Amino acid sequence: MDSAAVHQHAEAVGSGWPPGLTRVPYWIYQDQAILRAEQQRIFEGPAWHYLCLEADIPNHGDYRASFMGAMPVIAVRGEAGEIHAFENRCAHRGALIAFEDAGTVKEFTCAYHAWRYDLRGNLCSIAFQRGVGGKGGMPDSFRMQEHGPRKLRTATIGGLVFATLAADAPELLDYLGAEIAARIRRVLHKPVEVIGRFIQPLPNNWKLYAENVKDTYHASLLHLFFTTFRITRFSQAGGVTVSRGGAHHASTTIGRLEAQDSVYKDEALRSDSEFRLHDPSLLDAVDEFGDNIQLQILTVFPSMVLQQIHNCLAVRQIVPRGVAAMDLHWTYIGFADDTKAMRRRRLKQANLVGPAGYVSMEDGCIGGFVQRGIAAASEALSVVEMGGATAESQPTRATETAVRGFWQTYRALMGL
Ligand code: FES
Ligand SMILES: [Fe+2]
């Protein structure tokens, strides 16, 4: 859909979208044509998309299946250690080229009619191309080199593999900006190992999750575990870094809170519960990065999250699955040189996040609450005004600045 068509459509489904970053119309989460336009303009547009970890594909021939929005993608390690990525779609009749999540191959053979592809995604052989006994087969005019899956540009930072279809996307480091790149490298500063993974289906539009993870305002209000056990409260130091143009963010909570503060009580907000941990070692955290940052949540527009909550490290990938459904692909990581005690600590702290996580279980339902709440309100607008009207870095988490940043980039890419 070109920009004029998206506009026309936007006007048809809603009452338009006021300029600025503080109002978001609810039809943006409800519309099939918007989802299709997002695929074209964002997921296949000039943005970089997280595919997997380099640690997922350490050796020649190792591959991992991933996604760029709805588009299935293969990332594979080439002969000289380089990483190739291409669409996971056979040039013949469209079957997945790789249907396993991961594996090691010399080449890819499509299961349907055995067309073969090399590790760069080049079509290199066709079963019975010359037919059998002089009968059948492909016409002489068929040129294999003219057929193949779409190939992607790839780039890495801190062991994260990104890809884009767009020849005009800036270099990955320019896309991220120096501040976000430094925040990624702060966590991913040495070789990692995957220590767990799973997929969490969520009953909401993908953008509701993208907003949630940039929404530093909600963390200590929705998540009672955070405030009860003083992992992050507004009274702790920290803030939000928003990249130029708004696309990416990193929020931090610095230092431990020893004394109970009164800011939540003063506002008559729940900030404590009677729950106590039977095993307090769950929160026995170590300052492994040496900077006293207890929590850093980082996003790379549109679909990646890098999480450090104490010593629980994870990468999350947002995969849209329809207007009101998405999958969240979680990969828990540790470092290759973790001690046994540190690995145990990471696995224990993994209980904080994920579908049943002490902290994240609320994030698993809140997007669904919004999706249900707005069912009859396509033309109404949400209010995104905490901390002002712009999308700049701020020395507080009582703000929605990073959410506004998401919409700033989104509107620019969508032409809305
Ligand atoms: S669809 Fe792949 S070989 Fe036919
Ligand atoms: Fe949350």
Side-chain angles (χ1 to χ4, degrees):
M1 196 186 276
D2 65 16
S3 157
V6 173
H7 263 294
Q8 226 175 19
H9 182 78
E11 262 154 41
V13 293
S15 51
W17 191 340
L21 308 174
T22 61
R23 294 290 183 275
V24 181
Y26 291 131
W27 51 258
I28 204 74
Y29 310 104
Q30 298 172 321
D31 193 84
Q32 195 65 47
I34 291 293
L35 189 72
R36 277 198 301 276
E38 289 167 349
Q39 182 62 33
Q40 262 177 28
R41 302 176 70 102
I42 296 176
F43 293 103
E44 298 175 30
W48 284 90
H49 306 276
Y50 167 79
L51 296 185
C52 64
L53 293 162
E54 285 204 71
D56 285 322
I57 48 172
N59 302 312
H60 177 206
D62 292 346
Y63 75 86
R64 179 125 202 115
S66 188
F67 292 92
M68 283 177 21
M71 176 181 172
V73 166
I74 297 171
V76 58
R77 183 75 71 166
E79 201 163 350
E82 76 283 12
I83 295 171
H84 306 292
F86 49 90
E87 189 173 16
N88 189 2
R89 172 180 57 87
C90 181
H92 179 216
R93 300 246 300 278
L96 291 172
I97 293 171
F99 56 84
E100 304 275 12
D101 289 340
T104 304
V105 293
K106 287 203 168 59
E107 58 189 7
F108 292 94
T109 304
C110 177
Y112 204 171
H113 315 89
W115 287 25
R116 291 201 180 97
Y117 298 86
D118 68 18
L119 300 185
R120 292 166 185 271
N122 298 312
L123 175 60
C124 53
S125 87
I126 290 177
F128 299 113
Q129 184 171 9
R130 300 277 155 253
V132 177
K135 297 195 184 89
M138 297 290 279
D140 287 342
S141 60
F142 186 82
R143 299 269 167 279
M144 278 200 290
Q145 60 275 22
E146 288 168 10
H147 298 264
R150 287 182 285 177
K151 292 177 182 161
L152 311 175
R153 278 168 73 193
T154 63
T156 63
I157 177 173
L160 303 167
V161 179
F162 287 86
T164 182
L165 259 178
D168 61 341
E171 293 301 319
L172 177 63
L173 282 182
D174 296 334
Y175 179 74
L176 296 171
E179 283 179 307
I180 296 297
R183 291 257 154 226
I184 291 174
R185 291 192 177 114
R186 169 189 168 265
V187 177
L188 301 175
H189 64 110
K190 54 183 173 178
V192 302
E193 273 177 10
V194 174
I195 62 175
R197 69 165 97 241
F198 55 86
I199 296 174
Q200 179 181 12
L202 295 175
N204 54 262
N205 185 272
W206 71 273
K207 299 187 291 300
L208 288 170
Y209 187 80
E211 282 186 301
N212 170 271
V213 87
K214 288 172 182 276
D215 173 359
T216 48
Y217 178 33
H218 89 279
S220 61
L221 296 167
L222 175 65
H223 304 302
L224 196 55
F225 193 93
F226 268 161
T227 41
T228 299
F229 298 104
R230 303 176 196 184
I231 299 174
T232 178
R233 297 171 72 103
F234 283 142
S235 39
Q236 282 160 281
V240 188
T241 302
V242 181
S243 67
R244 203 150 41 95
H248 328 297
H249 99 293
S251 70
T252 52
T253 302
I254 304 168
R256 290 205 187 221
L257 189 76
E258 300 308 341
Q260 193 73 326
D261 63 86
S262 67
V263 295
Y264 294 82
K265 290 226 166 68
D266 295 348
E267 296 238 356
L269 294 166
R270 60 178 197 153
S271 63
D272 206 352
S273 65
E274 72 284 7
F275 293 111
R276 293 295 173 261
L277 293 168
H278 276 297
D279 179 3
S281 74
L282 176 74
L283 296 177
D284 160 33
V286 171
D287 181 19
E288 64 177 310
F289 304 104
D291 55 9
N292 209 17
I293 293 178
Q294 306 290 315
L295 182 146
Q296 176 183 292
I297 303 291
L298 179 150
T299 56
V300 174
F301 184 93
S303 53
M304 194 203 85
V305 182
L306 174 64
Q307 163 215 305
Q308 176 234 330
I309 302 175
H310 287 329
N311 306 107
C312 178
L313 312 179
V315 182
R316 313 176 202 160
Q317 180 191 19
I318 298 172
V319 180
R321 297 299 302 265
V323 167
M326 58 161 279
D327 285 341
L328 193 58
H329 291 236
W330 290 81
T331 307
Y332 287 108
I333 52 179
F335 294 114
D337 66 358
D338 277 350
T339 60
K340 264 206 169 111
M342 182 55 100
R343 192 55 66 86
R344 234 183 106 67
R345 180 179 290 115
R346 291 195 207 287
L347 289 169
K348 209 180 258 189
Q349 291 180 5
N351 289 299
L352 294 169
V353 293
Y358 294 134
V359 176
S360 325
M361 63 183 157
E362 292 100 354
D363 290 324
C365 61
I366 204 71
F369 290 177
V370 177
Q371 197 82 44
R372 288 156 62 192
I374 64 176
S378 304
E379 298 188 19
L381 303 164
S382 71
V383 175
V384 194
E385 249 178 290
M386 283 293 286
T390 59
E392 284 153 0
S393 301
Q394 294 187 357
T396 174
R397 284 162 287 119
T399 177
E400 292 169 309
T401 187
V403 179
R404 286 188 290 277
F406 175 86
W407 292 112
Q408 186 170 10
T409 300
Y410 179 92
R411 293 187 77 161
L413 282 172
M414 291 287 285
L416 280 170

